[in-house]
Amino acid sequence: MLQLPRAEYVPPLISLDEAYELCRQVTATYAKTFYLGTLLMPPAKRRAIWAIYVWCRRTDELVDGPQAATTTMATLDEWEARLEDIFAGRPHDGMDLALTATLEHYPLDIQPFRDMIAGQRMDLHRSRYETFAELELYCYRVAGTVGLMSLEVMGGNPYSDRLCSPWVDPYQAKGTLKDQAIALGIANQLTNILRDVGEDMRRGRIYLPLEDLAAFNYTEEDLQRGVIDDRWRALMRFQIQRARQFYREAEVGVAYLERDARWPVWSALMLYRQILDVIEANDYDVFNRRAFVSDWRKLLSIPISWFKASF
Ligand SMILES: CC(C)=CCC/C(C)=C/CC/C(C)=C/CC/C(C)=C/[C@@H]1[C@@H](COP(=O)(O)OP(=O)(O)O)[C@]1(C)CC/C=C(\C)CC/C=C(\C)CCC=C(C)C
Ligand SMILES: Nc1ncnc2c1ncn2[C@@H]1O[C@H](COP(=O)(O)OP(=O)(O)OP(=O)(O)O)[C@@H](O)[C@H]1O
Ligand SMILES: [Mn+2]
């Protein structure tokens, strides 16, 4: 048999401007909260974040999107090989091209990208988490990694000797700027999990640690039936408190980001954290209603976060 030569590598036939425009459109469509934050950034950073967002979204879609049923470990292996190609300057399509170009301006570490794929692998082979430590690893992989990727674009000085802003409690300050970026990702993911409890349950998934359910005497059957009683309220209060602790840890880091990144990150943090307030206001009913932050609250967060960022 004649061996066919390996297909020549063909670069995507799309201009860089078109590639970034594509990423902007995807971000604007899928992530209204984060998109608002990116509009507050200078253009170069904004484009870079869009390119990263799109790669993350596509990775997430592999196990969460409409084609998820056909995704296997082999699909993720392929996606990981393609990631290596992006980092080697061989983008496969327009959206990859935007990320390859971003790497020229911001030499990102590939490891958080690999870690995120490892997080999606967890979604393929497990639907329960026994302990919070296990859930935290999952949250690091699918969301803490976003913090690390974004941090390299936003820029910051971990050794800055500037005083903490009046908005943060210095006693919450622990760890490095990287830890705080990871903390924001974890806080967001925990919020996401609490908002989507009902939706995830209907897909057979429980992200709340089973040890927590047990501690509050709430069973998987209760969860399936969407029981809202005092056990559930106490369990949710505990979860919300834990998520807020991660937000507090993250807040410390925002003050050490480069000046032009503080406002967008403060606003993203405030917008996402408010979902927790809405869950409380809905009396912890995450089974029948989706907690969303109203447009007027979102709008109000913009000047408030600008004010916080200017200290
Ligand atoms: C301005 C800003 C916050 C930029 C970051 C934008 C970015 C690159 C987002 C990528 C998000 C993404 C698609 C991740 C894939 C996995 C995933 C879906 C995670 C969940 C996001 C929420 O998405 P959504 O609600 O659409 O999910 P559903 O499909 O609806 O379930 C997550 C909750 C994780 C998001 C995590 C972050 C945005 C991390 C933010 C951290 C920083 C920007 C670091 C800041 C630095 C310091 C020092 C605090
Ligand atoms: N145009 C769209 N087409 C397909 N899916 C979408 C579209 N817009 C949003 N989604 C998906 O629907 C879900 C809900 O979107 P929604 O607009 O309520 O959240 P959001 O405003 O993007 O908030 P967040 O910033 O928390 O993602 C998300 O998981 C998102 O991925
Ligand atoms: Mn969304």
Side-chain angles (χ1 to χ4, degrees), residues 28 36 54 58 66 76-77 136 139 146 158 175 182 267 292 309:
L36 207 61
V54 165
R58 292 174 102 185
L76 294 178
D77 289 343
E136 197 180 358
C139 290
V146 179
I182 293 171
S267 58
F292 71 92

Side-chain angles (χ1 to χ4, degrees), residues 30 34 37-38 41 49 52-53 56-57 60 64 116 120 142-143 146-147 150-151 154 177 180-181 184-185 188-189 192 195-196 250 253-254 257 264-265 268 272 290:
Y30 284 90
F34 299 134
T38 63
M41 292 175 186
I49 295 290
I52 295 172
Y53 178 85
C56 293
R57 169 54 70 190
D60 183 58
D64 253 0
M116 181 179 283
Q120 310 304 341
V142 299
V146 179
S150 313
L151 180 59
M154 315 253 196
L177 198 55
Q180 289 143 9
L184 185 52
N188 287 345
Q189 189 62 33
N192 199 271
R195 183 192 66 189
D196 295 344
V254 190
L257 291 173
V265 174
Y272 226 76
R290 185 179 167 100

Side-chain angles (χ1 to χ4, degrees), residues 33-247:
T33 316
F34 299 134
Y35 183 65
L36 207 61
T38 63
L39 292 182
L40 309 175
M41 292 175 186
K45 290 189 176 177
R46 182 191 296 170
R47 279 196 301 267
I49 295 290
W50 291 336
I52 295 172
Y53 178 85
V54 165
W55 186 86
C56 293
R57 169 54 70 190
R58 292 174 102 185
T59 306
D60 183 58
E61 292 275 314
L62 289 176
V63 295
D64 253 0
Q67 269 107 52
T70 60
T71 298
T72 62
M73 286 294 176
T75 319
L76 294 178
D77 289 343
E78 244 172 73
W79 187 246
E80 196 161 343
R82 184 164 160 171
L83 169 72
E84 302 285 339
D85 276 354
I86 294 173
F87 273 73
R90 293 162 60 93
H92 288 216
D93 67 12
M95 296 190 230
D96 285 2
L97 174 69
L99 188 52
T100 299
T102 295
L103 294 169
E104 284 167 22
H105 291 277
Y106 303 97
L108 307 176
D109 181 0
I110 192 174
Q111 196 54 42
F113 291 82
R114 292 191 188 121
D115 290 346
M116 181 179 283
I117 297 175
Q120 310 304 341
R121 289 185 197 278
M122 287 172 89
D123 262 338
L124 274 193
H125 68 74
R126 65 187 297 176
S127 57
R128 301 286 187 278
Y129 294 83
E130 211 53 59
T131 64
F132 179 66
E134 288 170 22
L135 179 67
E136 197 180 358
L137 175 64
Y138 170 75
C139 290
Y140 160 71
R141 287 180 169 167
V142 299
T145 51
V146 179
L148 290 177
M149 298 167 193
S150 313
L151 180 59
E152 289 184 88
V153 171
M154 315 253 196
N157 176 9
Y159 308 108
S160 164
D161 57 0
R162 72 190 291 287
L163 288 170
C164 270
S165 78
W167 315 110
V168 301
D169 173 359
Y171 294 106
Q172 298 291 338
K174 57 175 182 189
T176 62
L177 198 55
K178 279 188 178 181
D179 293 323
Q180 289 143 9
I182 293 171
L184 185 52
I186 294 179
N188 287 345
Q189 189 62 33
L190 291 174
T191 304
N192 199 271
I193 287 171
L194 297 179
R195 183 192 66 189
D196 295 344
V197 165
E199 192 184 312
D200 288 333
M201 187 72 249
R202 286 188 281 281
R203 293 188 305 149
R205 302 190 157 276
I206 301 178
Y207 290 101
L208 297 178
L210 299 181
E211 66 177 5
D212 295 345
L213 294 193
F216 288 88
N217 212 4
Y218 192 87
T219 66
E220 229 183 278
E221 294 71 50
D222 291 328
L223 200 57
Q224 248 143 23
R225 295 190 358 250
V227 176
I228 300 170
D229 58 10
D230 286 345
R231 293 168 304 153
W232 174 250
R233 292 189 186 92
L235 170 60
M236 283 299 275
R237 271 197 290 274
F238 174 74
Q239 303 294 327
I240 289 175
Q241 202 184 342
R242 179 148 66 197
R244 288 196 174 125
Q245 187 59 36
F246 281 93
Y247 281 112

Side-chain angles (χ1 to χ4, degrees), residues 248-273:
R248 279 195 288 274
E249 195 187 323
E251 280 185 356
V252 178
V254 190
Y256 295 95
L257 291 173
E258 270 172 30
R259 192 163 282 280
D260 59 14
R262 286 179 213 153
W263 186 21
V265 174
W266 257 121
S267 58
L269 185 154
M270 285 185 62
L271 290 171
Y272 226 76
R273 182 168 54 188

